[in-house]
């Protein structure tokens, strides 16, 4: 017979975990899993051995027998599920890597599933970062099957918890390496992981690893991404223990509210490229002398500088620094006349705002005004660039910070600016995550209602869209007050926009905590009534223990039964041993005294008065009533007993007391309401003042910019005038030199003329008198008489010589002598009946007339001289006329 098998069930579980027989180990794993499931809490002694020696789980996960390994990983899952945070933190560092290498890469499907479940539990119970840090190194493992298993596990982790819980940055940085792996299974799992991350991050993942992929891989991923876009938005499928505890601790109503908040938080927390990228320090890369380059007179140089700046600023995340000077330069570029420069400047503002995000808030006041002012451009590309820049500025700030300036430009006289500002307001309402408060809602609604009466259809439709979008955020009931007075057509238009609007913010009415607090306030007041019998005990010790031991709630129940006790009190008002319930009735009877005294606040005075005798500190309003009834002292309970004796029906007393307490609370509530209204009015006044100051600042900035522009224009005009003046001076100097040259020429001609006259004969000073005198003495010359050829030739020779000298000196102007040649000599056979005035040169004299040669020659020479003089005068006048025309 075979020997019976040895029974190892008596050994401790820790010993059996390390047993050499795999069946013993397998049985120990199963018993441990069952034991963990039956424990009441995580402090049970069953967890102690495995918490103290976490290496037992490392041996179980890496068991050489696949069947025992499967049960060991199952036992680990049970240990983590019921063992709490301590067991998780103690074993995590020893089991995560073995789970990846031995569990996820196992050939058994159950083992793979249990290993993945163990990793999920490690994330669920404590923190996710240590698990991811253990998984990332396995992406560089030498065995492809382990890399593929790790990628598959990461895909499942992101699918279950989402990128809000699990940081995607370390995994995205490791993706390019696995995409270049030689094993096709690794590349396929990398694609699955990339698609899963794309479901959560969308286009934000591309800047991190897209450039490192091959074009074929990019095309394949694009096809998969398009399919992922058609799927619904992902949601977190598995909650952390902390999230489960928060949900379990919430009440029914709180669960609904928290559920809505969680959904909103998931939408808010959708990461973008800026959340995944590392900040880049762009300050050293910014072009040197940026302001000088942007002040260039050539628009191409300004555009090239802005292109360089855009290339530097176009990064997902920019490290914080001092960008004041850059923003001022870009604001100045908003006034550039060239639309190409303007477009690039708007693009620079957009990338800078998106890169800095919340850090750009401090620069909003410098750039928003110039952006709004330049919305007057009608070219669509320019309007789109300016709109995107404004959207980026809004994304870095909030609706409240942009609203005031936006509403100011809705009143602008330029219709183009008004329409673009209206579109920007609509985009702000659609994308804001926080609903506007009541003051902002009122200002938006008032501005939009005014736009409904504009002459432009685009503006009217924009105003209706603003009201419809605002109604989508705030709800129909709060917005109904702003729609009163509108006609049905406009209301229908607003309702149409309300139905189609898509917003990201919802105004959830905050839970009103004040009314429950006010309703709960009477019990503390009635707690004060509890010690009143204790105050009465000093005077009425009989039956006091029963009343002294009464709780506040029974004290409240005593109030209706007070009238019968008060009747007993009336039979013996002076007794101190009256039942304690009569002590509760006497305050009710005594409360009628303040009514007779016409003191509205007297309803609460007895209560503080008595509470001050037993426990003075609890009530703040007890000191004022004390002087009022100070004369009665502690005998106040006995004093009113005599007065209500005449008033038999004392039953209304307790309700009056309750009403008195409610009146006090209502008075305090009214005080708080008044204080709140006062604070709201103060807040509105401060907002109005802030708006005025902002408008004044903007106006002063605009005036300053206008003054700078006018100054620049004046400087350019002055420079142009100075240039014209310099040119005019040079022209005047040239004209003056020309005049001097002509004057010298005239003087030289005069000298030549006088020299020619003196060389001919010693004539009298006045040539004209001599001519007339000779003409009177000699009379007319006979037509037959002629002049000697010698004298005429001599005269011609003298004039020709003069002209030749002028040519040699270079002072002769050929044009000035054009058409002014001397008269040609007369032919020898020609007779002159006019005494020779037809020509200055007379050829041929008869020898027989030698007797009259001297007289005739002298007369003729003077005549010729007079003729030459007149011709020279005519030439001088012509020259002067030419100079005058040239000057003009």
């Amino acid at each position: 017979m075979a020997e019976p098998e040895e029974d190892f069930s008596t050994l401790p579980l820790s010993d059996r975990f390390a047993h050499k027989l795999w069946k013993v180990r397998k049985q120990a794993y199963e018993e441990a899993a069952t034991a963990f499931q039956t424990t009441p809490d995580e402090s049970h002694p069953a967890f102690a051995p495995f918490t103290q020696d976490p290496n037992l789980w490392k041996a179980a996960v890496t068991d050489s027998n696949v069947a025992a390994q499967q049960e060991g990983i199952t036992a680990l899952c049970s240990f983590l599920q019921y063992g709490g945070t301590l067991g998780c933190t103690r074993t995590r560092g020893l089991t995560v890597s073995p789970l990846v290498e031995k569990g996820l890469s196992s050939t058994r499907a159950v083992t793979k599933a249990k290993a993945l479940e163990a990793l999920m539990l490690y994330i669920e119970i404590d923190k996710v970062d240590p698990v991811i840090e253990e998984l990332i190194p396995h992406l560089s493992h030498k065995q492809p099957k382990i890399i593929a298993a790790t990628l598959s596990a990461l895909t499942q982790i992101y699918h279950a918890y989402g990128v809000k819980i699990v940081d995607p940055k370390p995994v995205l940085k490791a993706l390019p390496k696995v995409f270049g792996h030689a094993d096709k299974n690794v590349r396929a799992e990398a694609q699955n992981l990339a698609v899963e991350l794309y479901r959560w991050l969308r286009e934000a993942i591309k800047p991190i690893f897209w450039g490192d992929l091959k074009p074929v891989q990019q095309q394949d991923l694009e096809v998969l991404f398009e399919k992922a876009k058609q799927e619904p938005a992902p949601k977190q499928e598995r909650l952390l223990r902390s999230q489960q505890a928060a949900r379990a601790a919430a009440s029914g109503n709180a669960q609904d509210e928290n559920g809505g908040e969680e959904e909103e938080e998931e939408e808010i927390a959708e990461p973008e490229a800026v959340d995944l990228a590392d900040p880049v320090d762009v300050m050293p890369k910014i072009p040197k002398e940026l302001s000088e380059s942007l002040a260039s007179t050539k628009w191409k140089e300004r555009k090239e500088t802005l292109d360089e700046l855009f290339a530097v600023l176009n990064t997902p995340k920019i490290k914080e620094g001092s960008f004041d000077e850059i923003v001022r330069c870009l604001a100045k570029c908003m006034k550039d006349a060239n639309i190409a420069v303007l477009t690039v400047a708007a693009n620079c503002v957009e990338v800078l705002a998106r890169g800095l995000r919340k850090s750009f808030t401090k620069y909003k006041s410098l750039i928003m005004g110039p952006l709004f002012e330049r919305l007057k451009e009608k070219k669509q590309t320019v309007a789109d660039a300016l709109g995107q820049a404004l959207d980026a500025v809004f994304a870095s700030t909030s609706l409240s910070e942009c609203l005031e300036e936006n509403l100011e430009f809705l009143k602008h006289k330029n219709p183009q600016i008004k329409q673009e500002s209206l579109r920007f307001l609509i985009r702000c309402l659609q994308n804001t995550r926080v609903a506007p408060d009541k003051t902002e809602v009122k200002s938006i609604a008032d501005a939009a209602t005014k736009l409904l009466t504009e002459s432009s259809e685009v503006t009217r439709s924009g105003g209706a869209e603003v009201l419809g979008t605002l109604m989508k955020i705030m709800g129909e009931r709060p917005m109904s007050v702003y729609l009163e007075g509108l006609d049905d057509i406009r209301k229908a238009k607003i309702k149409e926009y309300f139905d189609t609007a898509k917003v990201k913010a919802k105004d959830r009415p905050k839970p009103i905590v004040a009314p429950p607090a006010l309703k709960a306030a009477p019990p503390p007041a009635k707690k004060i009534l509890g010690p009143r019998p204790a105050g009465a005990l000093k005077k009425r010790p009989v039956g006091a223990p029963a009343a002294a031991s009464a709780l506040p709630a029974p004290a409240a129940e005593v109030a209706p039964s007070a009238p019968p006790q008060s009747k007993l009190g009336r039979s013996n008002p002076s007794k101190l041993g009256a039942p304690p319930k009569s002590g509760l009735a006497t305050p009710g009877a005594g409360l009628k005294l303040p009514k007779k005294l016409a003191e509205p606040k007297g309803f609460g005075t007895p209560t503080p008065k008595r509470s001050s005798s037993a426990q003075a500190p609890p009530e703040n309003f007890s000191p004022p009533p004390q002087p009022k009834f100070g004369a009665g002292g502690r005998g106040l309970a006995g004093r009113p007993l005599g007065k209500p004796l005449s008033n038999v029906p004392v039953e209304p007393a307790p309700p009056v007391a309750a009403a008195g307490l409610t009146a006090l609370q209502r008075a305090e509530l009214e005080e708080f309401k008044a204080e709140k209204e006062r604070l709201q009015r103060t807040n509105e006044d401060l907002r109005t003042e802030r708006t005025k100051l902002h408008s004044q600042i903007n106006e002063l900035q605009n005036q300053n910019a206008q003054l700078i522009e006018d100054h620049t224009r004046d400087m350019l005009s002055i420079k142009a005038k100075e240039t014209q003046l310099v040119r005019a001076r040079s022209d005047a100097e040239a004209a003056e030199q020309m005049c001097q040259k002509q004057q010298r020429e005239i003087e030289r001609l005069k000298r030549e003329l006088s020299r020619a006259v003196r060389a001919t004969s010693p004539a009298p000073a006045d040539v004209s008198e001599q001519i007339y005198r000779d003409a009177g003495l000699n009379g007319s010359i006979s037509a037959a008489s002629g002049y000697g050829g010698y004298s005429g030739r001599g005269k011609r020779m003298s004039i020709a010589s003069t002209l030749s000298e002028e040519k040699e000196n270079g002072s002769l102007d050929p044009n000035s002598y054009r058409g002014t040649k001397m008269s040609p000599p007369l032919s020898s056979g020609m007779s002159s009946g006019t005494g020779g005035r037809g020509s200055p040169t007379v050829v041929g004299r008869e020898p027989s007339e030698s007797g009259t040669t001297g007289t005739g020659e002298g007369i003729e020479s003077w005549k010729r001289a007079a003729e030459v003089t007149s011709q020279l005068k005519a030439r001088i006048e012509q020259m002067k006329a030419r100079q005058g025309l040239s000057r003009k």
Side-chain angles (χ1 to χ4, degrees):
M1 293 180 61
E3 294 183 1
E5 294 183 2
E6 185 179 356
D7 186 13
F8 298 99
S9 59
T10 57
L11 295 176
L13 282 176
S14 57
D15 294 342
R16 284 188 283 167
F17 264 52
H19 203 275
K20 62 181 180 179
L21 295 177
W22 68 270
K23 290 184 179 180
V24 177
R25 297 196 301 270
K26 181 175 179 294
Q27 185 180 6
Y29 300 151
E30 293 173 353
E31 290 183 10
T34 305
F36 296 148
Q37 293 174 5
T38 58
T39 55
D41 54 25
E42 59 189 34
S43 61
H44 194 272
F47 298 104
F50 303 97
T51 304
Q52 294 171 0
D53 188 9
N55 287 311
L56 294 173
W57 292 117
K58 181 178 180 181
V61 171
T62 59
D63 200 302
S64 57
N65 186 275
V66 291
Q69 180 191 17
Q70 176 179 328
E71 296 301 331
I73 296 177
T74 303
L76 175 62
C77 292
S78 181
F79 173 77
L80 293 174
Q81 185 174 1
Y82 300 103
T85 307
L86 182 60
C88 171
T89 55
R90 288 286 182 88
T91 61
R92 181 175 55 205
L94 298 173
T95 57
V96 172
S97 293
L99 281 171
V100 176
E101 294 178 358
K102 299 295 183 179
L104 294 177
S105 61
S106 175
T107 55
R108 291 196 168 202
V110 178
T111 304
K112 285 184 179 180
K114 291 297 181 180
L116 181 60
E117 178 64 19
L119 294 176
M120 294 283 191
L121 287 171
Y122 276 121
I123 294 174
E124 176 184 322
I125 295 171
D126 188 35
K127 296 179 181 178
V128 65
D129 294 338
V131 178
I132 299 299
E133 290 173 2
E134 292 282 345
L135 292 177
I136 293 296
H138 290 87
L139 296 178
S140 303
H141 203 276
K142 61 182 179 180
Q143 296 185 16
K145 67 175 184 177
I146 295 179
I147 301 176
T150 305
L151 290 172
S152 177
L154 287 171
T155 304
Q156 295 299 323
I157 289 172
Y158 281 111
H159 185 81
Y161 292 104
V163 295
K164 179 183 176 183
I165 304 299
V166 186
D167 187 13
K169 289 171 66 176
V171 177
L172 285 172
K173 291 179 181 178
L175 272 181
K177 185 176 181 180
V178 294
F179 266 106
H181 200 277
D183 190 83
K184 63 178 182 179
N185 296 328
V186 174
R187 296 196 301 271
E189 292 296 339
Q191 277 190 349
N192 295 336
L193 178 57
V195 172
E196 181 61 35
L197 290 173
Y198 184 82
R199 291 177 64 242
W200 294 91
L201 303 176
R202 297 299 181 187
E203 299 296 327
I205 66 173
K206 288 187 176 180
I208 299 177
F209 74 98
W210 195 255
D212 299 329
L213 302 182
K214 297 178 181 178
V216 178
Q217 293 175 332
Q218 292 180 357
Q219 294 175 4
D220 295 342
L221 284 177
E222 285 291 353
V223 174
L224 297 175
F225 289 167
E226 288 298 328
K227 294 180 181 179
K229 288 180 181 178
Q230 307 301 326
E231 299 177 2
K235 294 183 180 180
Q236 183 179 348
E237 297 180 356
R238 189 162 179 164
L239 299 178
L240 302 176
R241 288 285 174 89
S242 58
Q243 294 174 328
Q244 295 174 11
R247 176 167 292 186
S251 61
N253 295 334
Q255 281 181 358
D256 297 337
E257 296 174 0
N258 292 340
E261 291 175 2
E262 287 174 4
E263 290 178 2
E264 184 178 356
E265 287 174 1
E266 286 179 4
E267 186 179 1
I268 292 173
E270 180 180 341
E272 299 179 1
V274 67
D275 301 320
L276 304 175
D278 295 327
V280 179
D281 187 8
V282 299
M283 293 302 293
K285 304 177 185 178
I286 292 176
K288 304 298 182 183
E289 300 179 354
L290 179 65
S291 57
E292 289 79 2
S293 301
L294 293 178
S296 175
T297 56
K298 298 180 179 180
W299 70 270
K300 289 187 177 180
E301 294 181 0
R302 300 196 299 271
K303 185 177 180 298
E304 289 174 359
T305 304
L306 288 173
D307 288 335
E308 294 178 9
L309 181 62
F310 177 81
V312 172
L313 297 178
N314 191 16
T315 181
K317 195 170 187 178
I318 299 175
K319 187 178 180 181
E320 294 186 17
S322 179
F323 294 92
D324 301 80
E325 186 64 27
I326 297 175
V327 175
R328 288 193 186 95
C329 292
L330 292 175
K332 187 177 180 182
C333 291
M334 292 297 111
K335 301 177 183 179
D336 201 296
N338 189 279
I339 58 174
V341 177
L342 173 63
T343 305
V344 181
N347 294 335
C348 291
V349 173
E350 178 187 0
V351 295
L352 181 61
R354 296 195 186 280
L356 290 175
R357 299 301 291 238
K358 295 302 179 184
S359 301
F360 191 80
T361 305
K362 55 186 175 182
Y363 308 118
K364 176 191 71 71
S365 58
L366 299 175
I367 197 65
M368 279 205 77
L371 283 173
F372 274 115
E373 287 288 350
R374 207 56 200 269
L375 288 174
K376 61 185 177 182
E377 295 293 336
K378 295 184 178 180
K379 194 169 182 180
Q380 191 60 37
T381 55
V382 181
D384 292 343
L386 293 170
Q388 291 172 3
L390 284 171
D391 292 344
V393 174
F394 167 73
S396 64
T397 56
S398 64
L399 177 64
S400 301
E401 294 173 340
C402 299
L403 185 60
E404 295 179 5
E405 201 159 3
N406 195 354
L407 293 179
E408 286 296 323
F409 279 93
L410 286 179
K411 306 173 186 177
H412 203 278
K413 60 182 180 181
N414 190 315
Q416 184 70 17
I417 295 179
K418 186 182 296 185
Q419 293 173 8
E420 292 297 332
S421 303
L422 192 56
R423 294 189 183 100
F424 174 64
L425 177 58
I426 294 170
R427 295 196 299 272
C428 291
L429 291 174
Q430 291 173 348
N431 296 317
T432 182
R433 304 284 186 178
V434 181
D437 57 25
K438 293 183 179 180
T439 306
E440 294 170 348
V441 169
K442 184 178 184 304
S443 58
I444 296 172
D446 292 344
T449 305
K450 291 180 182 177
L451 295 176
L452 295 175
T453 59
E454 289 285 334
S455 58
S456 174
E457 172 62 24
V458 178
T459 308
R460 294 197 302 272
S461 299
E465 187 172 0
V466 168
L467 289 173
T469 308
L470 190 61
M471 186 186 294
K472 192 76 171 183
I473 297 174
M474 306 303 298
E476 296 186 53
R477 183 178 177 184
M479 289 295 297
S480 60
V481 65
Y482 302 107
L483 302 184
E484 295 178 357
L486 298 179
D487 53 27
D488 295 337
I489 298 177
R490 290 172 178 165
K491 288 182 179 179
K493 192 74 172 177
I494 294 170
K495 189 68 170 64
E496 179 182 350
Y497 284 115
F498 165 74
D499 295 335
T500 58
K502 295 181 179 180
V503 297
K504 298 181 180 179
K506 292 287 185 181
D507 182 56
R508 297 184 304 275
K510 300 223 179 12
I512 302 174
V513 184
L518 292 175
K519 291 180 181 178
K526 292 178 181 180
K527 279 184 180 182
I528 300 173
L529 293 175
R532 289 178 193 165
L537 285 175
K538 299 178 181 179
K539 299 180 181 180
R540 304 175 186 178
V542 180
S549 62
L551 295 174
E557 295 174 359
V558 172
S561 62
Q565 299 295 334
S566 64
K567 291 178 182 179
L568 295 173
R570 264 183 267 131
S571 62
N572 189 8
S574 61
K575 280 187 178 181
L576 296 175
K581 290 185 179 180
S582 64
L584 292 175
T586 49
L591 286 173
K592 299 206 173 192
L593 178 61
K595 277 189 175 181
K596 294 179 181 179
L597 296 174
E599 292 289 343
K601 295 183 180 180
F603 291 103
T605 52
T607 301
K609 180 64 180 177
R610 293 185 184 173
S611 64
S612 63
S613 63
Q615 40 180 343
E619 293 297 327
N620 295 329
F621 53 86
S622 57
Q626 284 177 1
K628 196 170 190 180
F629 297 95
R634 294 183 181 179
L636 180 62
R639 196 175 67 185
L641 291 175
K643 291 190 177 181
L645 288 177
S646 58
N647 299 331
V648 178
V650 195
E651 289 77 9
V656 172
L661 293 174
T662 306
L664 286 175
Q665 294 167 359
R666 286 179 181 174
E668 188 176 1
L669 179 61
E670 291 298 329
E671 250 180 59
F672 289 149
K673 286 183 178 180
E675 182 68 20
K676 180 182 177 183
E677 291 178 359
R678 183 163 60 255
L679 290 175
Q680 286 180 348
R681 286 195 299 271
T682 306
N683 192 14
E684 290 180 1
D685 295 341
L686 292 176
R687 284 180 180 274
T688 306
E689 185 68 20
R690 181 185 174 191
T691 305
K692 290 180 181 179
L693 293 176
H694 272 295
S695 61
Q696 291 177 2
I697 291 172
N698 292 332
E699 186 177 355
L700 291 175
Q701 288 177 348
N702 294 334
Q703 290 179 0
N704 187 23
Q706 186 65 32
L707 290 174
I708 293 173
E709 187 175 355
D710 294 343
H711 177 69
T712 305
R713 191 186 302 110
D714 294 341
M715 291 300 295
L716 292 176
S717 176
I718 290 171
K719 288 182 179 179
K721 295 295 183 183
E722 288 178 353
T723 305
Q724 293 177 1
L725 182 60
V726 170
R727 291 179 181 175
R729 284 177 179 173
S730 62
D731 293 343
E733 290 175 358
E736 187 176 357
Q737 292 176 0
M738 188 66 181
C739 291
Q740 292 176 359
K741 183 178 178 181
Q742 296 295 337
Q743 191 68 28
R744 289 194 299 271
E745 183 69 19
I746 292 171
E747 294 295 335
R748 191 181 61 77
L749 291 175
K750 286 183 179 180
R751 288 194 299 272
E752 291 293 335
L753 178 60
S754 62
R755 191 181 300 115
V757 172
R758 285 197 302 271
T760 304
S761 66
D766 192 354
V767 180
S768 59
E769 291 180 0
Q770 184 66 28
I771 291 172
Y772 292 137
R773 185 169 58 252
D774 292 342
L777 290 175
N778 299 324
S780 62
I781 302 174
S782 171
S785 62
Y787 295 104
Y790 179 78
S791 63
R793 283 192 302 272
K795 182 66 178 178
R796 189 181 297 118
M797 287 174 63
S798 65
I799 294 174
S801 64
T802 302
L803 294 175
S804 64
E805 291 176 1
E806 292 176 359
K807 287 181 180 180
E808 290 178 2
N809 295 331
S811 59
L812 179 63
D813 186 2
N815 296 328
S816 61
Y817 290 95
R818 188 175 299 167
T820 58
K821 294 180 180 180
M822 294 297 178
S823 299
L826 297 175
S827 62
S828 58
M830 184 178 178
S831 62
S832 175
T834 59
R837 291 184 61 86
S839 173
T841 305
V842 181
V843 182
R845 284 191 181 183
E846 294 294 335
S848 61
E849 298 175 354
S850 60
T852 60
T853 298
T855 304
E857 185 178 356
I859 294 172
E860 187 63 25
S861 65
W862 289 115
K863 288 181 179 180
R864 282 191 284 107
E867 186 177 357
V868 170
T869 303
S870 62
Q871 289 178 356
L872 288 173
K873 288 182 178 181
R875 292 173 192 165
I876 292 169
E877 294 297 328
Q878 289 176 1
M879 290 172 64
K880 288 182 178 181
R882 287 196 192 97
Q883 291 176 359
L885 289 175
S886 64
R887 289 176 183 177
K888 293 178 182 180

